[in-house]
Amino acid sequence: MLRLGRREFDAHEPVIMAIVNRTPDSFYDQGATFRDEPALARVEQAVAEGAAIIDIGGVKAGPGEEVTAEEEARRTVGFVAEVRRRFPDVVISVDTWRHEVGEAVCEAGADLLNDAWGGVDPRLAEVAARYRVGLVCTHAGESEPRTRPHRVAYDDVMADILRVTLGLAERAVALGVPRESVLIDPGHDFGKNTRHSLEATRRLGEMVSTGWPVLVSLSNKDFVGETLDKPVKERVLGTLATTAVSAWLGAQVYRVHEVAETRQVLDMVASIAGHRPPAVARRGLA
C-alpha cells in the first residue's frame, strides 16, 4: 500500500503525477504555467483527466539562470497553499532538492517531496521525516543539480541505481519518513546517457522486485528524443510506448505532461495484465 497525503493506492493501482512547472524557462512549455491562473487551470484540467498527484517545480532541471532558494520558494509556496485550498484531496508534490524549500512547502500543505537530484541535500529527508510526508528517492549519478551528464560510465547501471535508491530509501525510513510513503526513481536522463536510460527501462523489474513503489519520470525526455531522433514536441508517442513497457514491468507512479493519454495507456496495460476490468464488455454477449 502506497500512502500519500489523504490517499491510499493499492499495489497494482497505476498513479499519475501531473507536472506543473512554476518556471519561466521550462524545456517543455517555456513558461506556460509560470503565472498563477494558467497554473491553476492546469491543475484543474490534470485532476479532471485522472491525475492523483500534482508535482510543482520552481526550478527547471537543466542549466539556466540561477534560481536562489528564496526565489524557488516564492514561486512554489503560495501556489502550494492555493492548490491545497482548492483541491483538498489531491496529493501535492514539490520537485525540490533544497531542505529550506522543502520545509516551506510542507508548512504550506505539501504531501510529498520529489528529490530528483538524489539526496544532494541530505537535510531534505530530515524535513520529510519531521513533517511525516512522502519522499521520492532518485538516482542521479551523483550529479550536481542542474548539470547535464558528460561521458558518464557505469559498470552496471541498474546495480548503481539500486545501490543509491535503496540506500536513500532506507535512510529516509530510519530518519522517520513513513515506509509506505517512500518511492524510488531510476532517474531517467539524470546522470545518464540515452543507452543508460534505455537499460534502466528494460531492467525496471529489478527495482519493482525490491518491494518499494517505483516512480518513473519519462515524459518527453531527451532519451526518448535521441532514440527516435525527435524534437521535444514530437516525443509523445515514444513517451507513451516507454510508459506502456514500464507499466507492464510494474512501475506504479508516472510523472507526465500528457495526463489523458497516459491514463488510457495505463488503463489498457492494467486490463491486459488482469488488474482492471474493461470499462465496457458487450462484444460477443448480445
Side-chain angles (χ1 to χ4, degrees), residues 19-43 45 57 79 233 257:
I19 301 166
V20 180
N21 291 311
R22 303 287 289 147
T23 62
D25 52 357
S26 163
F27 89 98
Y28 181 71
D29 59 26
Q30 292 79 51
T33 54
F34 185 47
R35 294 186 300 108
D36 287 351
E37 287 311 311
L40 289 167
R42 161 70 174 162
V43 173
Q45 178 185 9
F79 188 71
K233 294 299 183 181
H257 297 99

PDB file of all heavy atoms in Angstrom, residues 19-43 45 57 79 233 257:
ATOM      1  N   ILE A  19       2.733  17.194 -14.080  1.00  0.00           N
ATOM      2  CA  ILE A  19       3.771  18.204 -13.931  1.00  0.00           C
ATOM      3  C   ILE A  19       3.168  19.595 -14.074  1.00  0.00           C
ATOM      4  O   ILE A  19       2.466  19.884 -15.055  1.00  0.00           O
ATOM      5  CB  ILE A  19       4.865  18.012 -14.999  1.00  0.00           C
ATOM      6  CG1 ILE A  19       5.502  16.621 -14.869  1.00  0.00           C
ATOM      7  CG2 ILE A  19       5.910  19.112 -14.925  1.00  0.00           C
ATOM      8  CD1 ILE A  19       6.332  16.217 -16.072  1.00  0.00           C
ATOM      9  N   VAL A  20       3.462  20.452 -13.103  1.00  0.00           N
ATOM     10  CA  VAL A  20       3.097  21.872 -13.192  1.00  0.00           C
ATOM     11  C   VAL A  20       4.360  22.681 -12.912  1.00  0.00           C
ATOM     12  O   VAL A  20       4.815  22.763 -11.773  1.00  0.00           O
ATOM     13  CB  VAL A  20       1.975  22.252 -12.207  1.00  0.00           C
ATOM     14  CG1 VAL A  20       1.648  23.739 -12.337  1.00  0.00           C
ATOM     15  CG2 VAL A  20       0.721  21.418 -12.463  1.00  0.00           C
ATOM     16  N   ASN A  21       4.929  23.245 -13.970  1.00  0.00           N
ATOM     17  CA  ASN A  21       6.176  23.985 -13.840  1.00  0.00           C
ATOM     18  C   ASN A  21       5.908  25.449 -13.505  1.00  0.00           C
ATOM     19  O   ASN A  21       5.236  26.151 -14.264  1.00  0.00           O
ATOM     20  CB  ASN A  21       6.974  23.911 -15.148  1.00  0.00           C
ATOM     21  CG  ASN A  21       7.509  22.525 -15.415  1.00  0.00           C
ATOM     22  OD1 ASN A  21       8.103  21.912 -14.536  1.00  0.00           O
ATOM     23  ND2 ASN A  21       7.295  22.014 -16.618  1.00  0.00           N
ATOM     24  N   ARG A  22       6.462  25.891 -12.374  1.00  0.00           N
ATOM     25  CA  ARG A  22       6.345  27.300 -11.981  1.00  0.00           C
ATOM     26  C   ARG A  22       7.641  28.018 -12.352  1.00  0.00           C
ATOM     27  O   ARG A  22       8.282  28.661 -11.520  1.00  0.00           O
ATOM     28  CB  ARG A  22       6.070  27.375 -10.480  1.00  0.00           C
ATOM     29  CG  ARG A  22       4.832  26.617 -10.054  1.00  0.00           C
ATOM     30  CD  ARG A  22       3.557  27.330 -10.474  1.00  0.00           C
ATOM     31  NE  ARG A  22       3.405  28.536  -9.662  1.00  0.00           N
ATOM     32  CZ  ARG A  22       2.846  29.668 -10.092  1.00  0.00           C
ATOM     33  NH1 ARG A  22       2.425  29.767 -11.335  1.00  0.00           N
ATOM     34  NH2 ARG A  22       2.728  30.704  -9.282  1.00  0.00           N
ATOM     35  N   THR A  23       8.018  27.839 -13.593  1.00  0.00           N
ATOM     36  CA  THR A  23       9.273  28.389 -14.090  1.00  0.00           C
ATOM     37  C   THR A  23       9.006  29.121 -15.402  1.00  0.00           C
ATOM     38  O   THR A  23       8.118  28.732 -16.159  1.00  0.00           O
ATOM     39  CB  THR A  23      10.307  27.278 -14.345  1.00  0.00           C
ATOM     40  OG1 THR A  23       9.800  26.400 -15.363  1.00  0.00           O
ATOM     41  CG2 THR A  23      10.565  26.477 -13.084  1.00  0.00           C
ATOM     42  N   PRO A  24       9.794  30.155 -15.697  1.00  0.00           N
ATOM     43  CA  PRO A  24       9.606  30.865 -16.965  1.00  0.00           C
ATOM     44  C   PRO A  24      10.351  30.225 -18.128  1.00  0.00           C
ATOM     45  O   PRO A  24      10.208  30.679 -19.265  1.00  0.00           O
ATOM     46  CB  PRO A  24      10.186  32.256 -16.655  1.00  0.00           C
ATOM     47  CG  PRO A  24      11.259  31.988 -15.660  1.00  0.00           C
ATOM     48  CD  PRO A  24      10.771  30.829 -14.812  1.00  0.00           C
ATOM     49  N   ASP A  25      11.112  29.158 -17.860  1.00  0.00           N
ATOM     50  CA  ASP A  25      12.010  28.614 -18.873  1.00  0.00           C
ATOM     51  C   ASP A  25      11.972  27.092 -18.952  1.00  0.00           C
ATOM     52  O   ASP A  25      12.978  26.446 -19.243  1.00  0.00           O
ATOM     53  CB  ASP A  25      13.442  29.082 -18.610  1.00  0.00           C
ATOM     54  CG  ASP A  25      13.907  28.803 -17.171  1.00  0.00           C
ATOM     55  OD1 ASP A  25      13.094  28.297 -16.372  1.00  0.00           O
ATOM     56  OD2 ASP A  25      15.073  29.094 -16.857  1.00  0.00           O
ATOM     57  N   SER A  26      10.817  26.504 -18.704  1.00  0.00           N
ATOM     58  CA  SER A  26      10.685  25.051 -18.799  1.00  0.00           C
ATOM     59  C   SER A  26      11.052  24.559 -20.189  1.00  0.00           C
ATOM     60  O   SER A  26      10.701  25.177 -21.196  1.00  0.00           O
ATOM     61  CB  SER A  26       9.240  24.650 -18.482  1.00  0.00           C
ATOM     62  OG  SER A  26       8.964  23.345 -18.927  1.00  0.00           O
ATOM     63  N   PHE A  27      11.744  23.413 -20.262  1.00  0.00           N
ATOM     64  CA  PHE A  27      12.138  22.864 -21.557  1.00  0.00           C
ATOM     65  C   PHE A  27      10.914  22.490 -22.389  1.00  0.00           C
ATOM     66  O   PHE A  27      10.956  22.492 -23.616  1.00  0.00           O
ATOM     67  CB  PHE A  27      13.034  21.624 -21.369  1.00  0.00           C
ATOM     68  CG  PHE A  27      12.296  20.312 -21.256  1.00  0.00           C
ATOM     69  CD1 PHE A  27      12.150  19.486 -22.362  1.00  0.00           C
ATOM     70  CD2 PHE A  27      11.731  19.909 -20.054  1.00  0.00           C
ATOM     71  CE1 PHE A  27      11.472  18.277 -22.278  1.00  0.00           C
ATOM     72  CE2 PHE A  27      11.054  18.704 -19.958  1.00  0.00           C
ATOM     73  CZ  PHE A  27      10.927  17.885 -21.072  1.00  0.00           C
ATOM     74  N   TYR A  28       9.793  22.199 -21.712  1.00  0.00           N
ATOM     75  CA  TYR A  28       8.634  21.674 -22.417  1.00  0.00           C
ATOM     76  C   TYR A  28       7.653  22.755 -22.844  1.00  0.00           C
ATOM     77  O   TYR A  28       7.203  22.779 -23.982  1.00  0.00           O
ATOM     78  CB  TYR A  28       7.919  20.639 -21.548  1.00  0.00           C
ATOM     79  CG  TYR A  28       6.716  20.023 -22.217  1.00  0.00           C
ATOM     80  CD1 TYR A  28       6.885  19.132 -23.273  1.00  0.00           C
ATOM     81  CD2 TYR A  28       5.424  20.345 -21.817  1.00  0.00           C
ATOM     82  CE1 TYR A  28       5.789  18.572 -23.907  1.00  0.00           C
ATOM     83  CE2 TYR A  28       4.324  19.782 -22.447  1.00  0.00           C
ATOM     84  CZ  TYR A  28       4.512  18.899 -23.497  1.00  0.00           C
ATOM     85  OH  TYR A  28       3.439  18.344 -24.125  1.00  0.00           O
ATOM     86  N   ASP A  29       7.313  23.664 -21.927  1.00  0.00           N
ATOM     87  CA  ASP A  29       6.271  24.646 -22.255  1.00  0.00           C
ATOM     88  C   ASP A  29       6.740  26.096 -22.205  1.00  0.00           C
ATOM     89  O   ASP A  29       5.936  27.016 -22.351  1.00  0.00           O
ATOM     90  CB  ASP A  29       5.053  24.467 -21.351  1.00  0.00           C
ATOM     91  CG  ASP A  29       5.388  24.614 -19.868  1.00  0.00           C
ATOM     92  OD1 ASP A  29       6.367  25.308 -19.536  1.00  0.00           O
ATOM     93  OD2 ASP A  29       4.658  24.035 -19.041  1.00  0.00           O
ATOM     94  N   GLN A  30       8.031  26.304 -21.969  1.00  0.00           N
ATOM     95  CA  GLN A  30       8.614  27.649 -21.984  1.00  0.00           C
ATOM     96  C   GLN A  30       7.863  28.654 -21.095  1.00  0.00           C
ATOM     97  O   GLN A  30       7.715  29.820 -21.435  1.00  0.00           O
ATOM     98  CB  GLN A  30       8.698  28.201 -23.418  1.00  0.00           C
ATOM     99  CG  GLN A  30       9.684  27.474 -24.311  1.00  0.00           C
ATOM    100  CD  GLN A  30       9.134  26.163 -24.844  1.00  0.00           C
ATOM    101  OE1 GLN A  30       8.033  26.120 -25.388  1.00  0.00           O
ATOM    102  NE2 GLN A  30       9.869  25.098 -24.685  1.00  0.00           N
ATOM    103  N   GLY A  31       7.371  28.167 -19.965  1.00  0.00           N
ATOM    104  CA  GLY A  31       6.777  29.084 -19.000  1.00  0.00           C
ATOM    105  C   GLY A  31       5.273  29.232 -19.086  1.00  0.00           C
ATOM    106  O   GLY A  31       4.712  30.191 -18.537  1.00  0.00           O
ATOM    107  N   ALA A  32       4.575  28.291 -19.716  1.00  0.00           N
ATOM    108  CA  ALA A  32       3.129  28.409 -19.892  1.00  0.00           C
ATOM    109  C   ALA A  32       2.369  28.434 -18.569  1.00  0.00           C
ATOM    110  O   ALA A  32       1.266  28.995 -18.487  1.00  0.00           O
ATOM    111  CB  ALA A  32       2.610  27.264 -20.763  1.00  0.00           C
ATOM    112  N   THR A  33       2.922  27.824 -17.523  1.00  0.00           N
ATOM    113  CA  THR A  33       2.247  27.804 -16.222  1.00  0.00           C
ATOM    114  C   THR A  33       3.050  28.559 -15.161  1.00  0.00           C
ATOM    115  O   THR A  33       2.958  28.258 -13.972  1.00  0.00           O
ATOM    116  CB  THR A  33       1.985  26.354 -15.767  1.00  0.00           C
ATOM    117  OG1 THR A  33       3.217  25.612 -15.795  1.00  0.00           O
ATOM    118  CG2 THR A  33       0.975  25.677 -16.668  1.00  0.00           C
ATOM    119  N   PHE A  34       3.814  29.536 -15.594  1.00  0.00           N
ATOM    120  CA  PHE A  34       4.580  30.346 -14.642  1.00  0.00           C
ATOM    121  C   PHE A  34       3.658  31.257 -13.842  1.00  0.00           C
ATOM    122  O   PHE A  34       3.819  31.428 -12.632  1.00  0.00           O
ATOM    123  CB  PHE A  34       5.638  31.162 -15.400  1.00  0.00           C
ATOM    124  CG  PHE A  34       6.565  31.940 -14.510  1.00  0.00           C
ATOM    125  CD1 PHE A  34       7.166  31.348 -13.405  1.00  0.00           C
ATOM    126  CD2 PHE A  34       6.855  33.268 -14.781  1.00  0.00           C
ATOM    127  CE1 PHE A  34       8.025  32.056 -12.584  1.00  0.00           C
ATOM    128  CE2 PHE A  34       7.719  33.989 -13.967  1.00  0.00           C
ATOM    129  CZ  PHE A  34       8.302  33.385 -12.869  1.00  0.00           C
ATOM    130  N   ARG A  35       2.661  31.825 -14.498  1.00  0.00           N
ATOM    131  CA  ARG A  35       1.703  32.695 -13.801  1.00  0.00           C
ATOM    132  C   ARG A  35       0.638  31.841 -13.104  1.00  0.00           C
ATOM    133  O   ARG A  35       0.348  30.721 -13.507  1.00  0.00           O
ATOM    134  CB  ARG A  35       1.058  33.675 -14.780  1.00  0.00           C
ATOM    135  CG  ARG A  35       2.042  34.688 -15.351  1.00  0.00           C
ATOM    136  CD  ARG A  35       1.360  35.740 -16.203  1.00  0.00           C
ATOM    137  NE  ARG A  35       0.656  35.161 -17.347  1.00  0.00           N
ATOM    138  CZ  ARG A  35      -0.665  35.084 -17.460  1.00  0.00           C
ATOM    139  NH1 ARG A  35      -1.441  35.532 -16.485  1.00  0.00           N
ATOM    140  NH2 ARG A  35      -1.212  34.543 -18.533  1.00  0.00           N
ATOM    141  N   ASP A  36       0.025  32.427 -12.062  1.00  0.00           N
ATOM    142  CA  ASP A  36      -0.876  31.664 -11.199  1.00  0.00           C
ATOM    143  C   ASP A  36      -2.092  31.100 -11.923  1.00  0.00           C
ATOM    144  O   ASP A  36      -2.408  29.913 -11.773  1.00  0.00           O
ATOM    145  CB  ASP A  36      -1.347  32.537 -10.031  1.00  0.00           C
ATOM    146  CG  ASP A  36      -0.263  32.763  -9.004  1.00  0.00           C
ATOM    147  OD1 ASP A  36       0.799  32.107  -9.100  1.00  0.00           O
ATOM    148  OD2 ASP A  36      -0.464  33.593  -8.097  1.00  0.00           O
ATOM    149  N   GLU A  37      -2.806  31.923 -12.659  1.00  0.00           N
ATOM    150  CA  GLU A  37      -4.066  31.455 -13.237  1.00  0.00           C
ATOM    151  C   GLU A  37      -3.881  30.331 -14.254  1.00  0.00           C
ATOM    152  O   GLU A  37      -4.588  29.327 -14.197  1.00  0.00           O
ATOM    153  CB  GLU A  37      -4.859  32.630 -13.829  1.00  0.00           C
ATOM    154  CG  GLU A  37      -5.484  33.518 -12.771  1.00  0.00           C
ATOM    155  CD  GLU A  37      -6.247  32.725 -11.703  1.00  0.00           C
ATOM    156  OE1 GLU A  37      -7.073  31.853 -12.073  1.00  0.00           O
ATOM    157  OE2 GLU A  37      -6.029  32.952 -10.506  1.00  0.00           O
ATOM    158  N   PRO A  38      -2.937  30.426 -15.203  1.00  0.00           N
ATOM    159  CA  PRO A  38      -2.711  29.273 -16.085  1.00  0.00           C
ATOM    160  C   PRO A  38      -2.271  28.025 -15.317  1.00  0.00           C
ATOM    161  O   PRO A  38      -2.647  26.905 -15.675  1.00  0.00           O
ATOM    162  CB  PRO A  38      -1.606  29.760 -17.026  1.00  0.00           C
ATOM    163  CG  PRO A  38      -1.680  31.239 -16.993  1.00  0.00           C
ATOM    164  CD  PRO A  38      -2.125  31.585 -15.613  1.00  0.00           C
ATOM    165  N   ALA A  39      -1.503  28.221 -14.256  1.00  0.00           N
ATOM    166  CA  ALA A  39      -1.048  27.070 -13.470  1.00  0.00           C
ATOM    167  C   ALA A  39      -2.213  26.414 -12.743  1.00  0.00           C
ATOM    168  O   ALA A  39      -2.315  25.182 -12.695  1.00  0.00           O
ATOM    169  CB  ALA A  39       0.020  27.514 -12.479  1.00  0.00           C
ATOM    170  N   LEU A  40      -3.096  27.211 -12.188  1.00  0.00           N
ATOM    171  CA  LEU A  40      -4.266  26.647 -11.504  1.00  0.00           C
ATOM    172  C   LEU A  40      -5.208  25.972 -12.499  1.00  0.00           C
ATOM    173  O   LEU A  40      -5.809  24.929 -12.186  1.00  0.00           O
ATOM    174  CB  LEU A  40      -5.000  27.736 -10.724  1.00  0.00           C
ATOM    175  CG  LEU A  40      -4.262  28.232  -9.475  1.00  0.00           C
ATOM    176  CD1 LEU A  40      -4.886  29.515  -8.958  1.00  0.00           C
ATOM    177  CD2 LEU A  40      -4.262  27.155  -8.381  1.00  0.00           C
ATOM    178  N   ALA A  41      -5.321  26.531 -13.684  1.00  0.00           N
ATOM    179  CA  ALA A  41      -6.135  25.886 -14.722  1.00  0.00           C
ATOM    180  C   ALA A  41      -5.533  24.545 -15.118  1.00  0.00           C
ATOM    181  O   ALA A  41      -6.258  23.567 -15.370  1.00  0.00           O
ATOM    182  CB  ALA A  41      -6.255  26.802 -15.938  1.00  0.00           C
ATOM    183  N   ARG A  42      -4.213  24.492 -15.177  1.00  0.00           N
ATOM    184  CA  ARG A  42      -3.528  23.237 -15.479  1.00  0.00           C
ATOM    185  C   ARG A  42      -3.808  22.191 -14.406  1.00  0.00           C
ATOM    186  O   ARG A  42      -4.055  21.026 -14.707  1.00  0.00           O
ATOM    187  CB  ARG A  42      -2.020  23.512 -15.602  1.00  0.00           C
ATOM    188  CG  ARG A  42      -1.106  22.308 -15.464  1.00  0.00           C
ATOM    189  CD  ARG A  42      -1.190  21.348 -16.617  1.00  0.00           C
ATOM    190  NE  ARG A  42      -0.192  20.294 -16.478  1.00  0.00           N
ATOM    191  CZ  ARG A  42      -0.247  19.141 -17.124  1.00  0.00           C
ATOM    192  NH1 ARG A  42      -1.224  18.871 -17.962  1.00  0.00           N
ATOM    193  NH2 ARG A  42       0.697  18.234 -16.938  1.00  0.00           N
ATOM    194  N   VAL A  43      -3.783  22.598 -13.141  1.00  0.00           N
ATOM    195  CA  VAL A  43      -4.088  21.671 -12.051  1.00  0.00           C
ATOM    196  C   VAL A  43      -5.516  21.138 -12.199  1.00  0.00           C
ATOM    197  O   VAL A  43      -5.752  19.922 -12.101  1.00  0.00           O
ATOM    198  CB  VAL A  43      -3.912  22.357 -10.683  1.00  0.00           C
ATOM    199  CG1 VAL A  43      -4.394  21.432  -9.563  1.00  0.00           C
ATOM    200  CG2 VAL A  43      -2.452  22.743 -10.459  1.00  0.00           C
ATOM    201  N   GLN A  45      -7.405  20.913 -14.858  1.00  0.00           N
ATOM    202  CA  GLN A  45      -7.504  20.010 -16.002  1.00  0.00           C
ATOM    203  C   GLN A  45      -6.866  18.658 -15.700  1.00  0.00           C
ATOM    204  O   GLN A  45      -7.421  17.606 -16.019  1.00  0.00           O
ATOM    205  CB  GLN A  45      -6.834  20.636 -17.216  1.00  0.00           C
ATOM    206  CG  GLN A  45      -6.850  19.738 -18.444  1.00  0.00           C
ATOM    207  CD  GLN A  45      -6.065  20.315 -19.606  1.00  0.00           C
ATOM    208  OE1 GLN A  45      -5.355  21.311 -19.464  1.00  0.00           O
ATOM    209  NE2 GLN A  45      -6.166  19.698 -20.768  1.00  0.00           N
ATOM    210  N   GLY A  57       7.077  22.382  -9.542  1.00  0.00           N
ATOM    211  CA  GLY A  57       8.505  22.656  -9.544  1.00  0.00           C
ATOM    212  C   GLY A  57       8.795  24.126  -9.769  1.00  0.00           C
ATOM    213  O   GLY A  57       8.156  24.768 -10.603  1.00  0.00           O
ATOM    214  N   PHE A  79       1.693  28.997  -4.113  1.00  0.00           N
ATOM    215  CA  PHE A  79       0.925  28.177  -5.053  1.00  0.00           C
ATOM    216  C   PHE A  79       0.506  26.861  -4.407  1.00  0.00           C
ATOM    217  O   PHE A  79      -0.632  26.407  -4.590  1.00  0.00           O
ATOM    218  CB  PHE A  79       1.746  27.927  -6.313  1.00  0.00           C
ATOM    219  CG  PHE A  79       0.977  27.252  -7.402  1.00  0.00           C
ATOM    220  CD1 PHE A  79      -0.014  27.922  -8.097  1.00  0.00           C
ATOM    221  CD2 PHE A  79       1.230  25.930  -7.739  1.00  0.00           C
ATOM    222  CE1 PHE A  79      -0.732  27.293  -9.110  1.00  0.00           C
ATOM    223  CE2 PHE A  79       0.525  25.289  -8.731  1.00  0.00           C
ATOM    224  CZ  PHE A  79      -0.464  25.978  -9.420  1.00  0.00           C
ATOM    225  N   LYS A 233       8.585  18.477 -28.969  1.00  0.00           N
ATOM    226  CA  LYS A 233       7.145  18.443 -29.234  1.00  0.00           C
ATOM    227  C   LYS A 233       6.698  17.213 -30.021  1.00  0.00           C
ATOM    228  O   LYS A 233       5.502  17.032 -30.251  1.00  0.00           O
ATOM    229  CB  LYS A 233       6.720  19.718 -29.975  1.00  0.00           C
ATOM    230  CG  LYS A 233       6.857  20.987 -29.146  1.00  0.00           C
ATOM    231  CD  LYS A 233       5.986  20.940 -27.888  1.00  0.00           C
ATOM    232  CE  LYS A 233       6.061  22.238 -27.106  1.00  0.00           C
ATOM    233  NZ  LYS A 233       5.232  22.197 -25.873  1.00  0.00           N
ATOM    234  N   HIS A 257       3.460  14.994 -18.587  1.00  0.00           N
ATOM    235  CA  HIS A 257       2.831  16.200 -19.110  1.00  0.00           C
ATOM    236  C   HIS A 257       1.443  15.882 -19.672  1.00  0.00           C
ATOM    237  O   HIS A 257       0.494  16.622 -19.452  1.00  0.00           O
ATOM    238  CB  HIS A 257       3.683  16.813 -20.231  1.00  0.00           C
ATOM    239  CG  HIS A 257       5.037  17.272 -19.795  1.00  0.00           C
ATOM    240  ND1 HIS A 257       6.185  16.515 -19.987  1.00  0.00           N
ATOM    241  CD2 HIS A 257       5.441  18.406 -19.175  1.00  0.00           C
ATOM    242  CE1 HIS A 257       7.228  17.180 -19.512  1.00  0.00           C
ATOM    243  NE2 HIS A 257       6.811  18.318 -19.014  1.00  0.00           N
TER     244      HIS A 257
END
